[in-house]
Amino acid sequence: MRDIKKLLEMWGGWAATEKSGINYPHIAAGFRGLITAAPSNRPVCSDNDGMILDSCISRLMKTHPDEHALLVAHYLYRISLRSIARRRRCADGTIRKQLQTAEGFIEGVLCTLEVTLECESEFF
């Protein structure tokens, strides 16, 4: 079984680097002022794994744009779930459930693709 949270943390670190080639805006829409200084010592996946994970995340955007925005805000910009819930004026539990839905979607796409990511070997 995959540790999807760890994979997404590594994707977030990879996407945040300037050499990833992924053009995410520097400030997530509606979250100006919540983002702190550039993070250091974030775990990063390889370019191949980053591209695979990014393609899975882009599929999420096509079907569930709200969950995509939540996933990007949390894993790429490292905004806490509580801050997101406060900003959206809803309960923390609602945000957690939406994040679990997004994580499950990404894990399902990875299972469907039947790929083994290089960074997964680091977990075992």
Side-chain angles (χ1 to χ4, degrees):
M1 183 142 195
R2 297 176 195 255
D3 186 356
I4 194 68
K5 290 184 181 294
K6 185 70 174 168
L7 288 174
L8 289 171
E9 281 180 36
M10 294 174 81
W11 167 82
W14 172 82
T17 62
E18 292 179 10
K19 61 183 177 179
S20 70
I22 303 301
N23 293 325
Y24 285 98
H26 293 289
I27 304 281
F31 292 102
R32 182 178 295 273
L34 294 176
I35 299 174
T36 58
S40 61
N41 298 331
R42 286 180 75 171
V44 178
C45 61
S46 69
D47 286 340
N48 290 335
D49 290 351
M51 293 300 288
I52 292 169
L53 288 168
D54 202 62
S55 68
C56 296
I57 292 168
S58 67
R59 290 180 189 193
L60 176 67
M61 185 176 175
K62 293 177 184 176
T63 56
H64 304 290
D66 289 339
E67 282 83 1
H68 174 268
L70 174 62
L71 191 101
V72 169
H74 183 66
Y75 285 107
L76 177 60
Y77 298 113
R78 300 182 101 178
I79 300 172
S80 71
L81 297 179
R82 181 170 287 165
S83 294
I84 295 169
R86 196 175 315 119
R87 184 74 173 188
R88 291 186 178 182
R89 292 186 172 104
C90 63
D92 294 0
T94 303
I95 298 300
R96 284 189 182 86
K97 288 176 188 176
Q98 289 177 348
L99 186 63
Q100 285 176 342
T101 300
E103 293 167 346
F105 182 91
I106 301 302
E107 190 167 6
V109 172
L110 286 171
C111 288
T112 302
L113 292 175
E114 296 179 355
V115 294
T116 303
L117 301 175
E118 297 167 10
C119 60
E120 286 181 307
S121 63
E122 297 174 11
F123 301 152
F124 301 107

